[in-house]
């Protein structure tokens, strides 16, 4: 049980930078998710915390210990790997017992601890099996069981659900959330799946190209993305981003014109809004464009339009129908719009 | 992995290689620059009843002392490299200035031990390697299309020529092609020539050794190519069928391109192995008609009375040089691959 | 193979290919069978001046020993000429070389597979060059120092030299086997509380057995088949089988005891036969592992 601090942590391989100036304070008992596309440095960050990668510069503190120079075994962490890293020659029981065995926990305590962990991950019936005889979901639970058999300072989970099928992913996600709530152990969870991030996290760290893009709660990240990268990465479909110009509160680009926006900005700008924030109605100051494609999703219909040279998505009621090529008009409430700097992509203040 | 753990793990292996591979290579370079001490001769006066006469004798004690003081022998520079037993620069220039045409040059050069060995080594390497690979590939194609239950035994027997000790394998063949052996005597019957012997002429000896080489090298190509054939993507084969490719065209345009990387690997390994051809020459007692670089070294070292260390060392250095030249394309490619990745 | 219309091969092609295979099998196997058969005959039959068919009928063998088969060659080689001693030396040399090679090779191969630094490439390239060195060139580098240090001729000397010569190959092969074991395994062991060495010993090695066995087989073959090193570095008493056979060649021919050499050759081949029989799969996988990764 401890808080974790990463002070300006960097990782470089020669001239290539993997993680750049990572600065973060993780509170005790927090569930923190590192989210980003592959190659963004999220796994490297976690591996540096685990001690599997050297830190090029900066400091990592687990509780009151600076762990930069410590071996993984001395850091008191436990980790669930993407491919689980189960020991194929050992049974489930031996796999779960391994961490306490090599850490020289008194023998008489082993059985009790293993059984307790196995119960928590619902594996009591499979203890005598080898990993090769288990299903994907069961293997995943063995990895979890091995992580919780002792009480580490921190749980590290590196994309633990990515090898499961969609249905199992949903239920295991809930199990992980529940486990963390009961064990109250600080947890760092790496994923590229934004739904996992949104459902699990107390706070999300969005990363790209080795840099932190935004650190906030899931709602905050969804509602107020810090830049175009976060806006375009979070949400399904992602936020519509249109390049255009703004002049005295009026945004315009090909097929679009929105009035009533904050007036302190002028010149080129990127405007963003979410698919569900648009309304289908005949209004003057909005989108007027031909339908590019229609997708029927069941609970709603998704309209794709070509606006400002970009393909954007609009969510319409489920009974909405339109032919490809027919003209539609879409209204957007200016208060639902987000403004981003055209150059840097950073969010611009929305105060009117 | 930190530098410290890395070197802790690799240290024993590295130490063994440095002590017993790197140092000996250094040692042959140094040795090749030295030459054995000449015997220390003393002139003694031998007086007998019929007067005195002067006599030259080997001073064993002094020779021994000199030997112990400088075990390497005396420094000779590159002298050993250019002497008659190695590069033979003098003889070569003489042959080129005074000869009766190309055939004569070849004949005279062949009388120089180094060139005799070099010519056989190169011919052996560059004939056995492609022939062995071609034979191996054919066997792989044939085995690939037979019923499964036959494959095991066929692979078993096919492995034997490769796995058998080279000296033993060559002896087994040698006894058969001997004039008194089963193949030798049948060849005599076949050609109706009671004096026919495969060991009689250089050409026949060379052919025999090359046949042995192909026999012992083909299995390796066979196994690798056979494994490669199992991984030919069936989708590509099937689309080739639908596109109308004939059996031969499928081999030519799908199978062979798939096996090219394997073929480079096999070629590399076989070139290295064939270049050190040695045991068959001992097994076939073929040294009169064919020698190899390795055999020359062996022969220098084997001398019971005085081993020709310097001569062996010089041939060794020249051989190492040849190996590096052979490996050059591979090394360059490895280097380029790595730089591209970095 | 199922003979569907799609896969059926033209008759001519399949006949040629079968004939070719039969021919190859004869070429590959006949010399061994013939020599094994012949080793139970007397010299006048196996190396007959008059008629090669005597080797099959064994007329002289019957004439000289009273039976169509004789073990005289074996008795002569093994007992009279002390071939048993050479065989015992071979056991010592091959077992030691294999064991030591594997210990050094697994440690080094593991380090090479798990470190991504530039010097690993240099070590691998150097190993490749070393692997290509003709053994006899190295031997010529040992002779003088070994005489000086007075270690020439002893079994341990030959063992250590063979281990070293085998290292480049063992490193390459084990390195590629270790690469096929997911890194996650040792990393989870280290997070679970192991040192690097404990992770190697308790978690990686137990799943490495196929690779270790295959590499062990090839190390064994190298030591068993070697002629250059053992012939030059061992004295008369310590000779292993292969140099012993070579030294037979010099003496037996003159004494009319060629059959001793034939019996010795067959004796030396039998263990290899068994090896291929029991470990065919591993040998094939070893040959191809190098190819796929190399």
């Amino acid at each position: 049980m401890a808080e974790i601090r990463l002070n300006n942590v960097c990782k470089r391989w020669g001239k290539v930078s993997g993680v750049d100036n990572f600065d973060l304070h993780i509170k005790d008992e927090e569930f923190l998710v590192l989210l980003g596309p592959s190659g963004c440095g999220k796994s490297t960050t976690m591996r540096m915390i685990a001690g599997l990668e050297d830190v090029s510069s900066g400091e990592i503190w687990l509780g009151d210990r600076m762990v930069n120079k410590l071996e993984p075994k001395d850091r008191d962490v436990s980790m669930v790997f993407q491919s689980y890293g189960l020991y194929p020659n050992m049974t489930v029981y031996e796999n779960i017992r391994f961490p306490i065995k090599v850490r020289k926990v008194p023998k008489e305590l082993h059985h009790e601890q293993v059984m307790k962990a196995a119960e928590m991950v619902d594996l009591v019936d499979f203890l005598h099996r080898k990993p090769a005889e288990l299903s994907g979901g069961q293997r995943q639970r063995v990895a979890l069981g091995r992580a919780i058999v002792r009480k580490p300072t921190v749980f590290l989970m590196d994309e633990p659900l990515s090898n499961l099928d969609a249905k199992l992913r949903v239920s295991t996600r809930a199990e992980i959330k529940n486990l963390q709530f009961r064990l109250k152990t600080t947890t760092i969870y790496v994923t590229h799946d934004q739904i996992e991030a949104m459902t699990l996290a107390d706070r999300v760290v969005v990363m790209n190209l080795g840099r932190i893009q935004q650190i906030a709660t899931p709602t905050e990240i969804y509602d107020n993305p810090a830049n175009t990268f976060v806006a375009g990465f979070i949400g399904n479909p992602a936020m519509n981003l249109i390049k255009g110009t703004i002049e005295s509160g009026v945004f315009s680009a090909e097929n679009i014109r929105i009035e009533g926006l904050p007036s302190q900005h002028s010149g080129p700008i990127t405007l963003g809004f979410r698919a569900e924030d648009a309304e289908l109605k005949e209004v003057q100051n909005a989108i007027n464009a031909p339908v590019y494609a229609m997708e029927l999703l069941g609970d709603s219909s998704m309209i794709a339009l070509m606006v400002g040279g970009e393909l954007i998505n609009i969510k319409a009621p489920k009974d909405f129908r339109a032919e490809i090529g027919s003209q539609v008009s879409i209204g957007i409430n200016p208060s639902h719009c987000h403004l981003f700097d055209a150059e840097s992509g950073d969010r611009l203040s929305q105060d009117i | 992995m930190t530098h410290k753990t890395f070197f802790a793990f690799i240290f024993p292996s590295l130490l063994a290689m440095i002590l017993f591979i790197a140092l000996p290579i250094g040692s042959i370079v140094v040795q090749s620059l030295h030459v054995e001490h000449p015997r220390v001769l003393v002139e003694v006066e031998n007086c007998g009843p019929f007067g005195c006469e002067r006599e030259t004798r080997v001073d064993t004690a002094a020779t021994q002392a000199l030997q112990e003081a400088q075990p390497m022998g005396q420094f000779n520079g590159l002298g050993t490299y250019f002497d008659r037993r190695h590069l033979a620069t003098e003889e070569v220039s003489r042959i080129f200035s005074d000869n009766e045409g190309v055939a004569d040059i070849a004949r005279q050069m062949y009388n120089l031990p180094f060139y005799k060995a070099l010519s056989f080594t190169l011919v052996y390497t560059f004939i056995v390697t492609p022939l062995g690979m071609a034979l191996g590939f054919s066997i792989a194609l044939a085995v690939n299309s037979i019923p499964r239950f036959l494959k095991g035994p066929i692979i078993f027997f096919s492995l034997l020529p490769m796995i058998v000790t080279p000296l033993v394998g060559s002896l087994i063949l040698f006894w058969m092609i001997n004039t008194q052996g089963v193949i030798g005597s049948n060849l005599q019957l076949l050609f109706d020539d009671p004096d026919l012997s495969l060991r009689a002429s250089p050409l026949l000896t060379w052919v025999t050794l090359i046949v042995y080489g192909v026999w012992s090298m083909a299995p390796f190509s066979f196994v690798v190519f056979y494994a490669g054939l199992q991984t030919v993507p069936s989708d590509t084969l099937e689309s080739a069928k639908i596109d109308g490719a004939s059996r031969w065209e499928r081999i030519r345009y799908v199978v062979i391109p798939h096996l090219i990387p394997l073929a480079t690997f096999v070629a590399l390994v076989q070139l290295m192995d064939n270049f050190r051809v040695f045991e068959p020459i001992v097994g076939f007692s073929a040294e009169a008609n064919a020698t190899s670089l390795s055999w020359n070294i062996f022969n220098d070292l084997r001398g019971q009375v005085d081993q020709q260390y310097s001569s062996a060392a010089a041939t060794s250095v020249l051989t190492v040089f040849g190996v590096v030249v052979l490996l050059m394309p591979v090394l360059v490619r490895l280097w380029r691959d790595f730089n591209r990745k970095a | 193979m199922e003979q569907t219309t799609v896969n059926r091969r033209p008759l001519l092609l399949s006949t040629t290919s079968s004939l070719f295979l039969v021919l190859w099998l004869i070429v590959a196997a006949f010399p061994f069978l013939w020599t094994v058969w012949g080793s139970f005959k007397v010299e006048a039959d196996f190396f007959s001046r008059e008629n090669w068919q005597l080797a099959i009928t064994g007329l002289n063998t019957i004439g000289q020993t009273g039976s169509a088969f004789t073990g005289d060659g074996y008795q002569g080689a093994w007992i009279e000429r002390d071939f048993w001693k050479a065989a015992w030396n071979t056991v010592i040399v091959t077992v030691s070389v294999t064991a030591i090679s594997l210990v050094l090779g697994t440690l080094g191969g593991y380090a090479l597979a798990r470190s991504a630094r530039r010097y690993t490439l240099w070590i691998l390239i150097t190993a490749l060059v070393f692997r290509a060195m003709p053994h006899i060139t190295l031997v010529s580098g040992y002779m003088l120092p070994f005489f000086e240090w007075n270690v020439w001729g002893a079994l341990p000397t030959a063992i250590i030299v063979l281990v070293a010569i085998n290292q480049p190959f063992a490193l390459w092969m084990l390195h590629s086997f270790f690469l096929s074991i997911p890194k996650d395994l040792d990393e989870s062991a280290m997070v679970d509380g192991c040192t690097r060495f404990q992770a190697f010993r308790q978690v990686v090695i137990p799943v490495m057995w196929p690779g270790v066995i295959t590499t062990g087989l090839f190390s064994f073959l190298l030591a068993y088949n070697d002629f250059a090193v053992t012939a030059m570095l061992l004295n008369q008493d310590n000779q292993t089988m292969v140099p012993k056979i070579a030294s037979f060649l010099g003496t037996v021919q003159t004494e009319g005891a060629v059959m001793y050499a034939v019996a010795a050759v067959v004796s030396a081949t039998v263990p290899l036969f068994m090896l291929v029989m029991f470990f065919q799969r591993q040998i094939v996988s070893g040959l191809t592992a190098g190819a796929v990764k190399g």
Side-chain angles (χ1 to χ4, degrees), chain B residues 171-252:
Chain B
L171 275 176
I172 288 178
L173 287 199
F174 172 64
W175 287 328
M176 289 174 72
I177 60 149
N178 214 334
T179 45
Q180 297 155 27
V182 57
I183 297 178
S185 49
N186 274 313
L187 283 178
Q188 287 177 351
L189 281 179
L190 195 67
F191 290 99
D192 197 21
D193 173 2
D195 296 323
L196 180 73
S197 161
L198 289 176
R199 294 172 58 203
S201 79
L203 183 69
L204 284 179
T205 312
W206 283 36
V207 169
T208 315
L209 285 169
I210 285 170
V211 166
Y212 164 79
V214 174
W215 180 74
S216 64
M217 284 297 166
F220 178 66
S221 314
F222 154 60
V223 170
V224 175
F225 286 136
Y226 177 71
L229 283 177
Q230 312 307 306
T231 64
V232 174
S234 60
D235 284 359
T236 321
L237 267 184
E238 281 168 4
S239 51
K241 262 184 214 173
I242 288 173
D243 292 345
S246 68
R247 189 173 296 274
W248 163 244
E249 283 168 329
R250 290 202 297 271
I251 293 182
R252 169 71 189 76

Side-chain angles (χ1 to χ4, degrees), chain C residues 2-16:
Chain C
E2 79 273 44
Q3 281 290 332
T4 57
T5 40
V6 183
N7 287 327
R8 181 167 300 148
R9 295 145 55 89
L11 190 66
L12 181 70
L13 182 66
S14 55
T15 328
T16 332

Side-chain angles (χ1 to χ4, degrees), chain C residues 165-187:
Chain C
I165 287 182
N166 189 31
Q167 271 309 294
F169 166 78
L171 279 183
W172 265 94
M173 181 160 249
L174 287 164
H175 156 253
S176 66
F177 271 109
F178 277 121
L179 280 182
S180 68
I181 290 179
K183 236 175 157 175
D184 280 9
L185 207 59
D186 9 347
E187 288 181 345

Side-chain angles (χ1 to χ4, degrees), chain C residues 251-262:
Chain C
T251 57
V252 289
Q253 231 135 3
T254 48
E255 298 168 23
V258 184
M259 291 321 287
Y260 291 6
V262 177

Side-chain angles (χ1 to χ4, degrees), chain B:
Chain B
M1 200 182 243
T2 59
H3 300 289
K4 211 180 121 197
T5 14
F6 178 80
F7 283 103
F9 269 91
I10 207 164
F11 177 74
S13 172
L14 219 49
L15 182 74
M17 289 200 292
I18 290 173
L19 280 184
F20 297 103
I21 303 180
L23 282 186
I25 293 177
S27 149
I28 54 170
V29 173
V30 177
Q31 246 172 59
S32 68
L33 300 177
H34 291 75
V35 74
E36 284 78 15
H37 292 288
R39 286 171 201 171
V40 182
L41 301 178
V42 281
E43 213 157 84
V44 285
E45 202 160 353
N46 218 356
C47 291
F50 308 105
C52 292
E53 57 187 38
R54 301 184 72 81
E55 189 184 0
T56 313
R57 271 203 206 147
V58 177
D59 183 343
T60 332
T63 311
Q64 193 93 30
L66 194 58
Q67 189 71 33
E68 259 158 38
Q70 287 175 287
M72 285 288 212
Q74 67 188 30
F75 188 74
N76 188 31
L78 292 175
T80 315
Y81 287 95
F82 295 119
D83 72 7
R84 189 183 176 277
R85 298 161 54 86
H86 299 92
L87 293 176
T89 36
E90 242 173 71
E91 286 80 356
V92 170
S93 58
R94 207 198 59 233
I95 292 171
F96 274 91
S97 59
D98 173 24
N99 61 68
E100 298 155 22
V102 182
D104 188 51
I105 294 184
R107 195 186 51 75
Q108 291 201 40
M109 292 285 277
Y110 194 70
N111 283 333
L112 298 169
F114 178 75
Y115 293 101
K116 180 181 174 186
L118 184 68
S119 57
F120 176 73
T121 308
L122 289 178
V123 167
Y124 181 87
T125 308
F126 287 102
I127 291 185
V128 167
T129 307
L131 283 186
M133 286 171 68
L135 178 59
F137 182 62
S138 319
I139 303 169
L141 279 182
V143 169
N144 202 30
S145 59
I146 57 169
R148 180 175 292 275
F149 71 96
L150 281 175
K151 286 181 180 172
I154 291 190
I155 294 177
F156 171 77
F157 285 111
S158 301
L159 283 175
L160 292 179
M162 174 190 74
I163 233 92
V164 73
T165 313
L167 184 75
V168 166
S170 45
L171 275 176
I172 288 178
L173 287 199
F174 172 64
W175 287 328
M176 289 174 72
I177 60 149
N178 214 334
T179 45
Q180 297 155 27
V182 57
I183 297 178
S185 49
N186 274 313
L187 283 178
Q188 287 177 351
L189 281 179
L190 195 67
F191 290 99
D192 197 21
D193 173 2
D195 296 323
L196 180 73
S197 161
L198 289 176
R199 294 172 58 203
S201 79
L203 183 69
L204 284 179
T205 312
W206 283 36
V207 169
T208 315
L209 285 169
I210 285 170
V211 166
Y212 164 79
V214 174
W215 180 74
S216 64
M217 284 297 166
F220 178 66
S221 314
F222 154 60
V223 170
V224 175
F225 286 136
Y226 177 71
L229 283 177
Q230 312 307 306
T231 64
V232 174
S234 60
D235 284 359
T236 321
L237 267 184
E238 281 168 4
S239 51
K241 262 184 214 173
I242 288 173
D243 292 345
S246 68
R247 189 173 296 274
W248 163 244
E249 283 168 329
R250 290 202 297 271
I251 293 182
R252 169 71 189 76
Y253 293 107
V254 180
V255 176
I256 292 187
H258 179 76
L259 295 181
I260 288 285
L262 289 187
T264 357
F265 165 80
V266 175
L268 165 73
V269 173
Q270 306 248 17
L271 282 179
M272 295 193 305
D273 288 349
N274 289 331
F275 192 72
R276 53 180 156 206
V277 52
F278 161 50
E279 284 100 333
I281 296 176
V282 179
F284 283 94
S285 322
E287 58 269 21
N289 292 322
T291 58
S292 72
L293 294 176
S294 292
W295 188 86
N296 272 10
I297 301 168
F298 173 75
N299 195 42
D300 280 339
L301 294 176
R302 193 175 46 172
Q304 292 297 322
V305 190
D306 44 8
Q307 283 110 330
Q308 312 268 357
Y309 291 124
S310 322
S311 171
T315 315
S316 296
V317 172
L318 293 169
T319 311
V320 168
F321 180 75
V323 169
V324 172
V325 169
L326 270 185
L327 275 180
M328 223 15 129
V330 189
L331 298 182
V332 169
R333 209 185 66 181
L334 265 178
W335 176 248
R336 219 184 289 140
D337 279 358
F338 188 82
N339 279 338
R340 203 178 305 140
K341 249 184 277 165

